Amino acid sequence: MSTVHTKHAHEANGSLAIPGFTPEAVRAKIGFCEQLKGGVIMDVVNAEQARIAEESGAVAVMALERVPADIRRMGGVARACDPRIIEEIQAAVSIPVMAKVRIGHFAEAQILEALEVDAIDESEVLTPADEEFHVWKHDFKSPFVCGCRDLGEALRRIHEGAAMIRTKGEAGTGNVVEAVRHMRAVMGGIRALRGLEQRELEKRAVEYRVPVELVAWVARQQKLPVPNFSAGGIATPADAALMMQLGAETVFVGSGIFKSQDPMRRAKAIVRAATHFRDPKVLAEVSRDLGEAMPGLEVANLPAEERLAQRGW
Amino acid sequence: MPSAAGEPRVGVLALQGDFAEHEAALARFGVATVQVRRPEQMRGLAALVLPGGESTTMLRLLRSEGLWEPVAAWLGSGRPVLATCAGLILLAREVNRPRQESLGVLDVSVDRNGYGRQVASGTFTLRSAALPGPAEGVFIRAPRITRVGPSVEVLAWRESDPVLVREGPVLAACFHPELQPDHPVTALFVELVRARVPASSMSPRNP
């Protein structure tokens, strides 16, 4: 085996140094996120839903007081979940339990870390707490996931310490169009860095408001330095397969499961779709007779102030 | 990845988890791998890797994809197996906290998430005569081995816990060697694969 081959394979392994991350953060925080790949992370609001998610094959659950479709419907300020709900869900399942904090609300994040949630989602689905700063995620031992709409936003969150990235999509709509737009923007942004010279990378880093080392890493490796997941509007097995063929390594399904007619059946189908996302025969089989999906919303008709993806920067 | 002439083909269970990291680690040794998601992909494998991920998810998919029986039958054939973290849980004779069914070919008992939730994850020093020192392991919501059977050889310890074990052709770790390039456990597995494969069972270039 040649030295060149060794170096290349080494870099492909993902254990390469990542600008801003300690080697231990790469192993423990990003390593945790690697274990979720090829899986489905499901929003749940109580222990019973969490058990259904685990029984269906979810790789993790996201504990919430309300799924995004209900947050949208009810309005008001959406905050981190009551610790009692998180503890009940932790007691009910053996898979990882994640929970959401408001953008910039590091005190809510401290509380979730004290509750030993396995990962924290700094989420635009909740009402933002800080209009200037996101949480400085390197300060936490818990891995964070953050939403993005394009490569610049993804890299800003990774610079702050996010150990996995997801598309924002438009949560609570059952409409995948925004998730597709965001994933295409991220993947296209990565491809657009290929072959740039140092001065061009520096210009791009200024535009993205991140260190040039991070941009250079992505230009060289042609992928994000952390796992790249998708969320926001995924409601069917085909939606999951679409996002994974576009580059997502795992999907988050929010309102799509427990707002549908037969949650267990739909959850199992989406889990199988995440494994066989390139196999149309299996996708056809799992898509049959799922009952009604969640009723969708046309994103183009949503007034700007109701678009959750606009939150964060 | 195409297999070089005379090289064994290693299957990597690709239902969910960090199977791509195992493939990258094996590629560094020039070992060809094939992703296994369907029963027919088990044919002609010289060895099998059960990666890290969520064991509950893999268990359900082994059933729904019709892989349980073919994998169980294959495991009885005495060919080399590498199982890490969730993979070790799938192979253990007994799984506790909570109780869970398993393929049962490795005579150990394990507690799932035996070291705690994600906050307890990290890199820990290993004590081992089998691995070149100083060895470390990355433990992520790792299973804890609470009992080893008489035919199980312990190859590495984390404090007083066995964390790398071997029973015949089965090599299993509570930690994730695939997350550390150059980890000696991958080398140990490759040695096992190359030693076990007689010229007659070499796989053709494509299945």
Side-chain angles (χ1 to χ4, degrees):
Chain A
M1 191 169 53
S2 74
T3 318
V4 174
H5 179 193
T6 305
K7 184 164 183 286
H8 178 77
H10 183 139
E11 293 181 351
N13 200 319
S15 300
L16 185 73
I18 296 171
F21 283 78
T22 64
E24 180 60 8
V26 172
R27 292 189 292 258
K29 289 161 91 170
I30 300 178
F32 164 76
C33 303
E34 308 278 9
Q35 306 310 311
L36 304 171
K37 290 200 296 199
V40 182
I41 300 162
M42 303 182 191
D43 278 3
V44 298
V45 299
N46 55 43
E48 187 203 338
Q49 287 187 354
R51 277 190 286 267
I52 291 172
E54 182 175 56
E55 179 57 34
S56 313
V59 286
V61 291
M62 180 75 69
L64 289 153
E65 283 188 29
R66 286 191 279 276
V67 294
D70 289 334
I71 291 175
R72 206 174 262 296
R73 198 166 50 77
M74 297 181 72
V77 175
R79 310 180 179 90
C81 186
D82 186 322
R84 186 180 52 79
I85 295 177
I86 292 170
E87 285 163 351
E88 284 172 7
I89 290 171
Q90 285 173 324
V93 296
S94 62
I95 56 179
V97 176
M98 306 184 180
K100 291 183 191 291
V101 299
R102 286 178 266 178
I103 289 173
H105 207 315
F106 53 83
E108 283 185 347
Q110 290 161 356
I111 291 169
L112 292 189
E113 183 158 272
L115 292 169
E116 299 194 357
V117 302
D118 294 292
I120 298 171
D121 184 1
E122 186 182 21
S123 177
E124 70 283 358
V125 167
L126 305 183
T127 310
D130 190 324
E131 295 188 329
E132 274 189 70
F133 293 97
H134 282 246
V135 173
W136 187 253
K137 293 163 274 285
H138 287 299
D139 285 346
F140 290 80
K141 187 152 194 247
S142 306
F144 273 72
V145 57
C146 288
C148 72
R149 285 163 297 179
D150 53 36
L151 180 61
E153 199 173 8
L155 293 181
R156 286 191 288 282
R157 298 296 86 79
I158 294 167
H159 172 59
E160 295 156 357
M164 52 185 148
I165 286 294
R166 56 171 174 76
T167 57
K168 286 181 172 172
E170 192 54 43
T173 61
N175 189 338
V176 80
V177 65
E178 294 300 306
V180 169
R181 185 196 315 282
H182 301 159
M183 186 56 75
R184 284 197 183 279
V186 170
M187 302 307 279
I190 293 172
R191 283 191 295 273
L193 294 178
R194 200 197 314 252
L196 295 193
E197 58 178 50
Q198 184 64 20
R199 283 181 54 194
E200 294 169 314
L201 292 173
E202 281 169 9
K203 193 170 166 221
R204 207 59 69 92
V206 170
E207 183 189 321
Y208 289 163
R209 309 198 300 278
V210 295
V212 67
E213 292 74 20
L214 203 50
V215 179
W217 194 103
V218 174
R220 196 169 56 242
Q221 304 295 329
Q222 285 293 298
K223 60 172 197 153
L224 291 181
V226 303
N228 181 16
F229 296 172
S230 183
I234 296 162
T236 67
D239 288 346
L242 174 68
M243 294 316 303
M244 293 183 75
Q245 288 188 40
L246 287 172
E249 294 171 297
T250 287
V251 292
F252 287 81
V253 184
S255 321
I257 289 172
F258 290 100
K259 286 287 169 188
S260 73
Q261 192 186 5
D262 187 344
M264 174 78 98
R265 194 175 168 89
R266 183 164 295 267
K268 283 183 174 170
I270 296 177
V271 167
R272 291 192 65 197
T275 294
H276 297 285
F277 68 97
R278 287 191 196 283
D279 190 334
K281 283 190 179 161
V282 177
L283 296 175
E285 184 191 324
V286 304
S287 300
R288 194 174 293 127
D289 296 329
L290 289 183
E292 285 290 318
M294 71 176 283
L297 287 178
E298 173 52 72
V299 178
N301 295 343
L302 285 181
E305 66 274 16
E306 289 182 22
R307 294 198 189 184
L308 305 177
Q310 312 294 332
R311 297 166 166 181
W313 41 90
Chain B
M1 157 172 302
S3 156
E7 272 294 328
R9 206 157 46 91
V10 176
V12 180
L13 191 68
L15 296 171
Q16 187 274 317
D18 72 343
F19 51 86
E21 280 64 32
H22 272 287
E23 292 191 277
L26 289 168
R28 304 195 63 220
F29 291 89
V31 172
T33 53
V34 56
Q35 298 184 354
V36 175
R37 293 184 177 82
R38 300 157 65 98
E40 61 270 25
Q41 292 163 335
M42 292 293 296
R43 262 185 240 132
L45 298 180
L48 185 64
V49 176
L50 305 178
E54 274 307 309
S55 64
T56 52
T57 303
M58 292 185 203
L59 265 181
R60 276 151 190 81
L61 285 165
L62 280 170
R63 290 287 189 199
S64 65
E65 308 319 298
L67 273 163
W68 184 277
E69 286 78 14
V71 169
W74 190 95
L75 290 170
S77 71
R79 283 169 278 188
V81 180
L82 173 63
T84 63
C85 195
L88 182 149
I89 297 170
L90 293 179
L91 294 186
R93 177 83 29 97
E94 186 187 32
V95 181
N96 297 307
R97 298 165 72 98
R99 283 193 88 80
Q100 185 168 295
E101 70 173 336
S102 56
L103 291 155
V105 298
L106 178 64
D107 190 13
V108 299
S109 301
V110 297
D111 284 353
R112 291 192 49 215
N113 302 323
Y115 296 92
R117 300 181 193 280
Q118 171 61 14
V119 287
S121 296
T123 309
F124 295 86
T125 304
L126 306 180
R127 196 156 49 77
S128 172
L131 305 176
E136 304 184 313
V138 180
F139 292 76
I140 296 175
R141 289 171 41 90
R144 188 176 211 150
I145 295 176
T146 55
R147 178 194 65 84
V148 292
S151 58
V152 175
E153 184 187 358
V154 178
L155 300 180
W157 306 80
R158 168 179 164 181
E159 294 178 356
S160 58
D161 294 336
V163 292
L164 175 66
V165 295
R166 180 178 167 181
E167 184 175 14
V170 178
L171 185 62
C174 298
F175 52 96
H176 292 274
E178 72 277 13
L179 293 181
Q180 293 174 284
D182 296 322
H183 202 286
V185 167
T186 308
L188 208 58
F189 175 62
V190 170
E191 215 172 279
L192 214 56
V193 172
R194 294 208 163 121
R196 284 275 180 147
V197 179
S200 58
S201 70
M202 296 300 184
S203 67
R205 187 164 288 265
N206 282 305

